[in-house]
Each structure stands twice: as C-alpha cells, then as structure tokens.
Amino acid sequence: MKKNIILAWTLLAILTVGLAAPVGAMAEDGIMPLYDYVGAIGAGLSISGSTAYCSGDVFLNRIPSSLSMTLTLQKKNGDSWDSFASWSDSVIGGTDLEMSESCTVSSGTYRVKVSISVCLTNGDYEYISEYSPESTK
C-alpha cells in the first residue's frame, strides 16, 4: 500500500511539472495576457481508490514581494463546480511555490484549481488561475 502511495505521488509530481503551462499562451478571444512575474503555472489531479492527490506549482520570472497559492479540489455538480477541499501556502521573496495535498473522495468528477496571487515589488498584484484535467472516480 505504501508503495502505491509513493508511486501515485511520484506520478502526480511528474504530470504536474510536465503540464505547467506558460502564461503567455493565446486566449480564446485572441488576446494574449502578459504577466510581469508569472512564467508558468500547473495543476494536477490523480485519483487512486478513494484518495485524490492534488498538486499545483508556479514558477516566476522575477523575485516578488510575496507569492500566494490556493489549491482547491472541486467536484462537479450539474453544470457547475463546488469546492470540495482547499489548501493555501505562501512564500516571501521566492520565485517558485509547489503544493501537494491529498484527501478522501466519493464517486464523482473532480478537478483541481490553482489560484496564484503575486505581490509585485511596486505594490501591484498579478492574479492567475489554472485548472487540471477532470478526473472521475
């Protein structure tokens, strides 16, 4: 059992880093958002048995005043998404932040939302969110 848990965390970490999206990608409306500090952000979800393994990471181009991340596991409810579990972390003066959390889930469709808040050195803020692919238990 312990070997399966270690394997699940390792696989999730590899997937999350591999799925980190550059934040200069073209949006559906044809407008490319530009961020001074945020370079890439990733969200990952793996469900094994009744356990959801959630992860998020962000990599910055420059050192900010502070960086905060909220990792939210969401469960699909009809056409909307409800918060199922949430965790937060922050760092002062760091250029990256990674989180890995787990919780017990029941049957349903889930995704992870990673929300980032960067306090710039001039006092302004950058906000960005990323979602993992959906996963069904």
Side-chain angles (χ1 to χ4, degrees):
M1 180 67 177
K2 186 175 181 179
K3 186 176 180 181
N4 288 341
I5 292 173
I6 293 171
L7 179 62
W9 278 114
T10 303
L11 183 60
L12 184 61
I14 291 168
L15 288 174
T16 302
V17 172
L19 294 175
V23 293
M26 189 72 68
E28 287 181 17
D29 60 5
I31 297 172
M32 182 181 296
L34 298 176
Y35 298 94
D36 289 332
Y37 284 67
V38 180
I41 181 173
L45 172 62
S46 173
I47 298 177
S48 177
S50 295
T51 304
Y53 299 93
C54 311
S55 66
D57 54 41
V58 62
F59 303 97
L60 304 181
N61 299 321
R62 300 175 10 198
I63 297 174
S65 294
S66 66
L67 168 63
S68 300
M69 177 188 296
T70 301
L71 188 65
T72 305
L73 179 62
Q74 298 179 323
K75 184 175 184 179
K76 194 166 192 174
N77 182 7
D79 291 334
S80 63
W81 292 90
D82 296 333
S83 292
F84 187 82
S86 186
W87 307 270
S88 295
D89 197 4
S90 62
V91 63
I92 295 174
T95 59
D96 65 294
L97 184 57
E98 299 178 39
M99 292 179 66
S100 295
E101 300 290 345
S102 65
C103 67
T104 302
V105 294
S106 57
S107 43
T109 300
Y110 296 86
R111 71 179 181 184
V112 168
K113 177 183 180 183
V114 175
S115 302
I116 304 299
S117 171
V118 181
C119 179
L120 312 182
T121 54
N122 66 3
D124 290 338
Y125 283 84
E126 288 184 358
Y127 302 99
I128 187 168
S129 294
E130 179 71 19
Y131 296 89
S132 72
E134 297 174 13
S135 186
T136 301
K137 177 191 179 316

